[in-house]
Amino acid sequence: EPEVTQTPSHQVTQMGQEVILRCVPISNHLYFYWYRQILGQKVEFLVSFYNNEISEKSEIFDDQFSVERPDGSNFTLKIRSTKLEDSAMYFCASSGDRARAEAFFGQGTRLTVV
Amino acid sequence: AQTVTQSQPEMSVQEAETVTLSCTYDTSENNYYLFWYKQPPSRQMILVIRQEAYKQQNATENRFSVNFQKAAKSFSLKISDSQLGDTAMYFCAFIIYQGGSEKLVFGKGTKLTVNP
């Protein structure tokens, strides 16, 4: 069964460093998303991406964040200068059929900023 | 504002029994879908069931069913014949369409424990 794959599963980084979280969405999907979940809290929308551009972003998704789909298969989230409060679980999701509005999530990347 | 409220932070149920998780939401939109996601200890988000807001018939997926009350903006999940593998966090969510894009809005979750 096709699935969304995220790497790495866990990343530890120093405050102020740049990190890139990687995702391989399901191959025929067209809509891509990043969500994050701070430990013990609810899942929050960060950004949606369609047709090689951002279609919507939340207040959380400030200038420190960026997304791209560099090669038609990977979908990346970059945090330029990490802060302690960026520590969270980051989920990538993809959707193939907007009419069904069904997003498939990856297993997540746990980001720890120290 | 679009919000989802799950009023039960934790619940427990005996194996083979039935449990209902509650969810209410608030939106002024008419075009939306509702979901329940399961998050086991592995932290992956797994879709359990979905409901189109324009459909009156309640969705059912095997042991999982919903009670969708659109006027009350209520969307509860019933798990029948609970199994140990159902132990997980359960998140209620809905998706709205804004200018061609969409985003999921999640509740804070209910931690369900199925006891043997």
Side-chain angles (χ1 to χ4, degrees):
Chain A
E1 185 175 331
E3 60 181 17
V4 177
T5 306
Q6 290 185 244
T7 54
S9 57
H10 190 191
Q11 170 122 24
V12 181
T13 188
Q14 294 268 347
M15 189 170 58
Q17 294 295 306
E18 175 184 285
V19 293
I20 297 176
L21 309 183
R22 291 183 167 79
C23 169
V24 179
I26 294 172
S27 62
N28 60 347
H29 283 187
L30 301 175
Y31 303 88
F32 313 110
Y33 314 88
W34 284 101
Y35 290 83
R36 81 170 185 191
Q37 184 184 31
I38 295 172
L39 187 63
Q41 298 188 24
K42 64 180 178 181
V43 179
E44 301 172 292
F45 169 79
L46 290 177
V47 65
S48 59
F49 191 86
Y50 170 70
N51 200 25
N52 284 321
E53 60 183 25
I54 290 174
S55 30
E56 188 175 1
K57 59 184 180 180
S58 71
E59 293 175 352
I60 304 166
F61 195 88
D62 61 21
D63 292 344
Q64 292 299 312
F65 291 87
S66 62
V67 290
E68 64 175 1
R69 196 149 186 258
D71 56 12
S73 61
N74 291 286
F75 179 51
T76 62
L77 174 69
K78 182 194 292 186
I79 309 175
R80 273 182 256 285
S81 178
T82 50
K83 303 188 279 284
L84 294 177
E85 53 265 38
D86 293 328
S87 295
M89 195 78 167
Y90 288 81
F91 291 101
C92 173
S94 70
S95 175
D97 183 349
R98 189 170 180 272
R100 284 187 55 79
E102 191 167 314
F104 293 84
F105 281 77
Q107 77 279 22
T109 293
R110 184 188 300 274
L111 177 65
T112 303
V113 182
V114 297
Chain B
Q2 283 92 13
T3 59
V4 176
T5 301
Q6 293 179 249
S7 58
Q8 306 148 315
E10 293 192 41
M11 293 191 72
S12 63
V13 64
Q14 290 299 119
E15 196 175 5
E17 293 187 349
T18 295
V19 64
T20 298
L21 309 182
S22 65
C23 171
T24 57
Y25 60 94
D26 188 24
T27 180
S28 57
E29 300 289 330
N30 267 324
N31 186 16
Y32 57 91
Y33 293 78
L34 294 151
F35 305 87
W36 279 96
Y37 279 89
K38 169 184 177 182
Q39 188 181 43
S42 64
R43 303 294 300 275
Q44 185 165 5
M45 298 288 286
I46 302 166
L47 178 65
V48 174
I49 197 165
R50 67 192 289 276
Q51 172 81 42
E52 293 92 334
Y54 61 85
K55 285 189 177 178
Q56 290 187 333
Q57 186 173 5
N58 289 322
T60 299
E61 287 287 341
N62 302 313
R63 299 183 293 108
F64 299 88
S65 61
V66 298
N67 182 4
F68 174 46
Q69 303 289 329
K70 190 172 183 179
K73 295 182 180 173
S74 169
F75 183 61
S76 60
L77 174 70
K78 185 170 83 170
I79 306 174
S80 305
D81 185 25
S82 298
Q83 299 176 358
L84 297 178
D86 294 334
T87 292
M89 283 290 287
Y90 286 83
F91 292 95
C92 177
F94 73 94
I95 196 165
I96 55 176
Y97 293 93
Q98 292 178 331
S101 70
E102 64 272 351
K103 63 179 181 183
L104 279 162
V105 178
F106 285 86
K108 290 187 176 181
T110 295
K111 183 179 180 181
L112 176 68
T113 302
V114 180
N115 298 308

